[in-house]
Amino acid sequence: MTEFMTGVAGKDTVEISEILAKDYEGKTVRVNGAVHTIRDMGDVAFVILRKREGLLQCVFEDGKTKFDLKDLKEAATIEAEGVVQSEERAPNGFEVRLTEIKVLSEPAAPMPFAISKWKLPTSLETNLDNRAIALRNVRERAKFRIQEGVVRGFRDFLYEEGFTEIHTPKIGAKSAEGGANLFRLEYFHRPAVLQQSPQFYKQMMVGVFDRVFETAPVFRAEKHNTKRHLNEYTSLDFEMGYIDSFTDIMAMETGFLQYTMKLLEKDYAKELKILGITLPNVDKIPTVRFDEAKQKVAEKYNRQIRNPYDLEPEEEALIGQYFKEEYDADFVFVTHYPSKKRPFYAMEDPADTTYTLSFDLLFHGLEITTGGQRIHDYDMLLEKIEKRGMTTEGMEQYLAVFKYGMPPHGGLGIGLERLTMKIIGEDNVRETTLFPRDLSRLEP
Amino acid sequence: MTEFMTGVAGKDTVEISEILAKDYEGKTVRVNGAVHTIRDMGDVAFVILRKREGLLQCVFEDGKTKFDLKDLKEAATIEAEGVVQSEERAPNGFEVRLTEIKVLSEPAAPMPFAISKWKLPTSLETNLDNRAIALRNVRERAKFRIQEGVVRGFRDFLYEEGFTEIHTPKIGAKSAEGGANLFRLEYFHRPAVLQQSPQFYKQMMVGVFDRVFETAPVFRAEKHNTKRHLNEYTSLDFEMGYIDSFTDIMAMETGFLQYTMKLLEKDYAKELKILGITLPNVDKIPTVRFDEAKQKVAEKYNRQIRNPYDLEPEEEALIGQYFKEEYDADFVFVTHYPSKKRPFYAMEDPADTTYTLSFDLLFHGLEITTGGQRIHDYDMLLEKIEKRGMTTEGMEQYLAVFKYGMPPHGGLGIGLERLTMKIIGEDNVRETTLFPRDLSRLEP
């Protein structure tokens, strides 16, 4: 006889939110979870289950089940039955008084460190070396729920604003930003690279959908080994056509941040609480020209300007400090970066071509976004390529979209791990990367 | 004076959906778009604008604007002003009678082929060689709106079911499925590979969040050059813990398909119509054992079983045909694949270890999903690795999650481009890939 699948099967187990949503007081429920920790008090023991929605306190009383507590190991997974009872000292305000325990799986060895501690008692190195285990810690995993909220906010906001999601290839013959810092591979006997950014593709797709976004990995073979750099990260990219000015892009990013902070408050309140996060102020974000920002910081903090065409990390930090002190601002858009520090496709400011119609967004003094208006005129683009002494070889398809007509457009890329790090208040981007890739780390 | 960004700026242009939502009849509006085509009828000309929401018919009448129609090129982008007027023969039932035209940008050359034709007048090869231009065709781009709907359905459904989204690294020291078919690269003087699947990582993350999903690129250096194969594609992956049986995974996938077809009907009706799509039936999806399916097909279509442990593509097609004919089913789950054709981590059927608790989902006879229950017991996993003559070297971190306890779990991977192709009724997966990567194609 043929059987059919008809949709998600009903479960006989309940989740924490289901117990909280209905009146389960005094009722018997079935629950499952991993044994996070066992506190044996003699006659009674607290068995804390780790579930996806949080911790669940179960109470084991001698003689109330046929189960021998000695047979229950930490890190075992179980399915259990018990009676729900209010208990204000328990997580979520209730506990389950156990009547039955069934072990689903058992560990083969005791945990290498106490993941059930509130703060993980390890160095970051040990944490990363044992990443999949360390992430079972409640605070560690909460960071990645916040990260989920950020990506979700990005997508949902942009859907509402008429953007279309795209998926562009990560292996290519050539990359947008040119030769340096590319991972190289052989693609069926041809040289290939991993994309540093979806830049070329998202611009091409503006000619198709006007507004596009992508949330995907990018690869940078940079030899930096700092707290801010990763060699693979998740880039939140968008690109939009028919802009009146590059400020439209900054306005869109501000909208995204406002939407996302509201989403975090609404759907990720539990994780914000676990991590003790105060969300940044995104009601209004000041803007400042690159050259003015340098000037302001030099004056206020009595600092010499060494290179007028670049921002050093310490200068970025001071700009953040300046706008926090002067405007209580968590973010600041630094605009009009020098042309020589921007890629060939950046639109120069017609008022002064030394500068571009581009920006970085700093969050507490750290760059989390680079964006700007792009050149959309075919001849202007060719001229710029020639001026830079670059070749158009391998860029024929990219250039074709301008040859056959493109609207004025611009966009940006946001480093997901950096943005998450700053929201959480961490100071190392590896803290907010599930499995970081850096100069020394290729595993796990 | 410091300026502030306060959110998305109001626009003085309107979109098609805004005009349709309100009563704009007789009112003057500003619109923008790309000139898709110009039909000059003498005194009057129809200027069709391509906008992200569809085509907009504008009417140019001599003397009504200061603009000379000769100055307007196809593929230019414009901003225009005009009066809205009902016109049932126009797309969306209205047109805009132009009073002002401002050219925003101009192409440098005429289009290489007529993208404004209903069906693109090119071969697939020419289409792919000029991909970014070809995608401006209204039918071509509609395919990728459908694709967006599929990914969106996947994520939104899984969020509702308590899954957490993850981002796992694509560069690694080792891959889940072993040595063959891997793209290799040098990672700071160390050998590395591109991940064929997030398999190891999503299993590791089940120990953290119980239920996880990822939508990301995977890379397969397979030397196939068929209509079904890509060397880089977008994989929709999920993995769930605390399953009672591997049928829970098939039930979850059925739920995803049901959710997604409803979403497409609701939010992508325009694209379904453009492409003439009849959505498949997903109310109930039959299941059949691998060995039974082979038998049924051999009997009904008078076909010899050549290899009892593998399904040939023609056999898959016939299984699809069989269940269409017998049950009017568009999908069928083929279950209990032979152990020798499944990876080491597949859970064997305790009733007969020649087979596994795994499945493929066929859509009109094409495999679009592989999934199943995984081994969660540390010792069983070690035994299986030994039995296969594999080494545990480089798998320490993966194995650690089982050593320190894992719930019964399983999951699946869905090929996004294949699923989209089958929904649309195309027969080449390149048709539903923005920029395909295959044996010969590394650009654009």
Side-chain angles (χ1 to χ4, degrees), chain B residues 344-375:
Chain B
F344 71 94
Y345 52 77
M347 179 73 96
E348 288 173 356
D349 186 354
D352 178 357
T353 58
T354 322
Y355 298 97
T356 53
L357 300 176
S358 74
F359 64 90
D360 275 11
L361 178 62
L362 309 186
F363 183 0
H364 292 161
L366 178 76
E367 178 242 304
I368 57 152
T369 298
T370 294
Q373 183 167 354
R374 328 297 188 182
I375 297 174

Side-chain angles (χ1 to χ4, degrees), chain A residues 236-300:
Chain A
L236 309 182
D237 276 276
F238 76 65
E239 199 77 15
M240 55 192 280
Y242 300 97
I243 58 173
D244 294 318
S245 151
F246 81 111
T247 58
D248 290 356
I249 305 154
M250 297 192 282
M252 192 61 73
E253 180 164 27
T254 306
F256 148 63
L257 289 169
Q258 292 167 346
Y259 182 97
T260 299
M261 296 310 150
K262 283 207 189 83
L263 180 68
L264 289 175
E265 261 173 19
K266 186 168 71 73
D267 287 359
Y268 298 83
K270 204 165 48 192
E271 287 81 10
L272 293 176
K273 201 178 153 203
I274 287 172
L275 295 166
I277 296 171
T278 307
L279 290 174
N281 180 3
V282 289
D283 290 346
K284 51 179 205 166
I285 299 180
T287 70
V288 63
R289 283 183 62 101
F290 176 91
D291 47 7
E292 279 174 28
K294 280 187 88 83
Q295 200 60 46
K296 280 179 196 291
V297 157
E299 281 166 18
K300 179 159 183 180

Side-chain angles (χ1 to χ4, degrees), chain B residues 62-313:
Chain B
D62 260 346
K64 290 283 171 73
T65 75
K66 289 175 191 156
F67 196 88
D68 188 340
L69 191 63
K70 285 196 227 56
D71 296 336
L72 192 63
K73 293 179 186 166
E74 282 186 355
T77 66
I78 65 170
E79 190 170 306
E81 204 168 86
V83 179
V84 174
Q85 193 168 308
S86 297
E87 170 51 68
E88 59 181 23
R89 287 162 299 178
N92 300 301
F94 71 89
E95 61 190 15
V96 172
R97 304 188 80 89
L98 296 170
T99 52
E100 192 194 311
I101 298 177
K102 188 175 92 184
V103 173
L104 299 173
S105 72
E106 290 198 321
M111 280 284 165
F113 43 82
I115 60 151
S116 59
K117 288 257 187 288
W118 182 242
K119 281 210 175 188
L120 204 63
T122 65
S123 67
L124 180 58
E125 278 304 295
T126 305
N127 174 330
L128 296 178
D129 286 344
N130 300 275
R131 193 59 166 161
I133 305 303
L135 289 168
R136 295 181 185 180
N137 174 270
V138 170
R139 286 187 83 254
E140 289 299 309
R141 74 175 186 178
K143 298 174 188 172
F144 296 93
R145 295 281 304 159
I146 299 294
Q147 187 162 84
E148 171 184 275
V150 173
V151 183
R152 196 170 174 176
F154 185 76
R155 293 196 194 107
D156 287 354
F157 172 72
L158 293 178
Y159 286 139
E160 282 184 14
E161 292 290 332
F163 285 72
T164 294
E165 180 173 12
I166 57 174
H167 306 274
T168 70
K170 304 308 157 201
I171 302 180
K174 185 143 181 156
S175 184
E177 321 281 328
N181 298 329
L182 288 168
F183 286 112
R184 291 169 192 288
L185 71 154
E186 205 192 72
Y187 187 84
F188 303 118
H189 309 297
R190 293 157 72 182
V193 299
L194 293 181
Q195 294 297 348
Q196 288 172 305
S197 132
Q199 185 62 34
F200 281 5
Y201 293 102
K202 60 180 183 161
Q203 284 188 264
M204 293 190 218
M205 293 307 293
V206 163
V208 175
F209 285 124
D210 299 354
R211 296 179 161 195
V212 295
F213 75 88
E214 181 165 18
T215 59
V218 295
F219 308 90
R220 306 204 166 183
E222 296 175 343
K223 294 207 180 73
H224 299 300
N225 218 359
T226 77
K227 290 182 174 182
R228 299 170 291 125
H229 285 93
L230 293 166
N231 294 103
E232 176 179 348
Y233 69 88
T234 303
S235 186
L236 309 182
D237 276 277
F238 75 65
E239 199 77 13
M240 55 194 280
Y242 300 97
I243 57 173
D244 294 319
S245 151
F246 81 110
T247 58
D248 290 355
I249 305 154
M250 297 192 283
M252 192 62 72
E253 180 164 26
T254 306
F256 148 63
L257 289 169
Q258 292 167 346
Y259 182 98
T260 299
M261 297 310 152
K262 283 207 189 83
L263 179 69
L264 290 175
E265 261 173 19
K266 186 169 72 72
D267 286 0
Y268 297 84
K270 205 166 46 192
E271 288 81 9
L272 293 176
K273 201 178 153 202
I274 288 172
L275 295 166
I277 295 171
T278 307
L279 290 174
N281 180 4
V282 289
D283 290 346
K284 51 178 205 165
I285 300 180
T287 69
V288 62
R289 284 182 61 100
F290 176 90
D291 46 9
E292 278 174 28
K294 281 187 87 83
Q295 199 60 45
K296 280 179 196 291
V297 158
E299 281 165 17
K300 179 159 184 180
Y301 303 108
N302 199 17
R303 199 176 184 287
Q304 271 224 304
I305 294 176
R306 287 192 291 194
N307 181 349
Y309 297 111
D310 208 358
L311 278 187
E312 298 169 49

Side-chain angles (χ1 to χ4, degrees), chain A residues 2-9 32-34 50-52 75 77 104-105 107-112 129-133 135-136 141 145 148 151-152 155 157 159 161-167 169-173 183-185 187-188 190-192 194 201 204-205 207-211 217 219 221-222 231-232 234 242 247 250-251 254 258 283-287 327 333 376 378 394 397 401 403-407 416 434-435 437-444, chain B residues 2-9 32-34 50-52 75 77 104-105 107-112 129-133 135-136 141 145 148 151-152 155 157 159 161-167 169-173 183-185 187-188 190-192 194 201 204-205 207-211 217 219 221-222 231-232 234 242 247 250-251 254 258 283-287 327 333 376 378 394 397 401 403-407 416 434-435 437-444:
Chain A
T2 302
E3 283 177 39
F4 292 89
M5 290 288 138
T6 55
V8 181
N32 57 32
R50 188 180 68 248
K51 296 176 64 57
R52 62 177 184 259
T77 67
L104 298 174
S105 73
M111 280 286 165
D129 286 343
N130 301 274
R131 193 58 166 163
I133 305 302
L135 289 168
R136 295 182 185 179
R141 74 175 186 179
R145 295 280 305 160
E148 171 185 275
V151 183
R152 197 171 173 174
R155 293 196 194 108
F157 171 72
Y159 287 139
E161 291 291 331
F163 286 72
T164 295
E165 181 174 12
I166 57 173
H167 305 275
K170 304 309 156 199
I171 302 180
F183 286 112
R184 291 168 193 287
L185 71 154
Y187 187 84
F188 303 117
R190 294 157 71 183
L194 293 181
Y201 293 103
M204 292 190 218
M205 292 308 294
V208 175
F209 286 124
D210 298 354
R211 296 179 162 195
F219 307 91
E222 296 175 343
N231 294 103
E232 175 178 350
T234 303
Y242 300 97
T247 58
M250 297 192 282
T254 306
Q258 292 167 346
D283 290 346
K284 51 179 205 166
I285 299 180
T287 70
Y327 298 92
F333 283 109
H376 60 271
Y378 182 62
Q397 287 292 319
V401 302
K403 192 168 174 182
Y404 302 122
M406 274 289 276
L416 172 62
L434 279 184
F435 299 96
R437 291 291 175 261
D438 61 25
L439 269 182
S440 57
R441 198 169 284 283
L442 185 54
E443 291 178 284
Chain B
T2 301
E3 283 178 39
F4 293 89
M5 290 289 138
T6 55
V8 181
N32 57 33
R50 188 180 67 248
K51 297 177 62 59
R52 61 176 184 260
T77 66
L104 299 173
S105 72
M111 280 284 165
D129 286 344
N130 300 275
R131 193 59 166 161
I133 305 303
L135 289 168
R136 295 181 185 180
R141 74 175 186 178
R145 295 281 304 159
E148 171 184 275
V151 183
R152 196 170 174 176
R155 293 196 194 107
F157 172 72
Y159 286 139
E161 292 290 332
F163 285 72
T164 294
E165 180 173 12
I166 57 174
H167 306 274
K170 304 308 157 201
I171 302 180
F183 286 112
R184 291 169 192 288
L185 71 154
Y187 187 84
F188 303 118
R190 293 157 72 182
L194 293 181
Y201 293 102
M204 293 190 218
M205 293 307 293
V208 175
F209 285 124
D210 299 354
R211 296 179 161 195
F219 308 90
E222 296 175 343
N231 294 103
E232 176 179 348
T234 303
Y242 300 97
T247 58
M250 297 192 283
T254 306
Q258 292 167 346
D283 290 346
K284 51 178 205 165
I285 300 180
T287 69
Y327 298 91
F333 283 110
H376 60 271
Y378 183 61
Q397 287 292 319
V401 301
K403 193 168 171 181
Y404 302 121
M406 273 289 277
L416 172 63
L434 279 183
F435 299 96
R437 291 291 174 261
D438 61 27
L439 270 180
S440 56
R441 198 169 284 282
L442 184 55
E443 290 177 286

Side-chain angles (χ1 to χ4, degrees), chain A residues 17-29:
Chain A
S17 59
E18 292 172 285
I19 296 176
L20 289 171
K22 281 192 200 164
D23 181 21
Y24 268 98
E25 181 75 21
K27 298 220 172 90
T28 297
V29 292

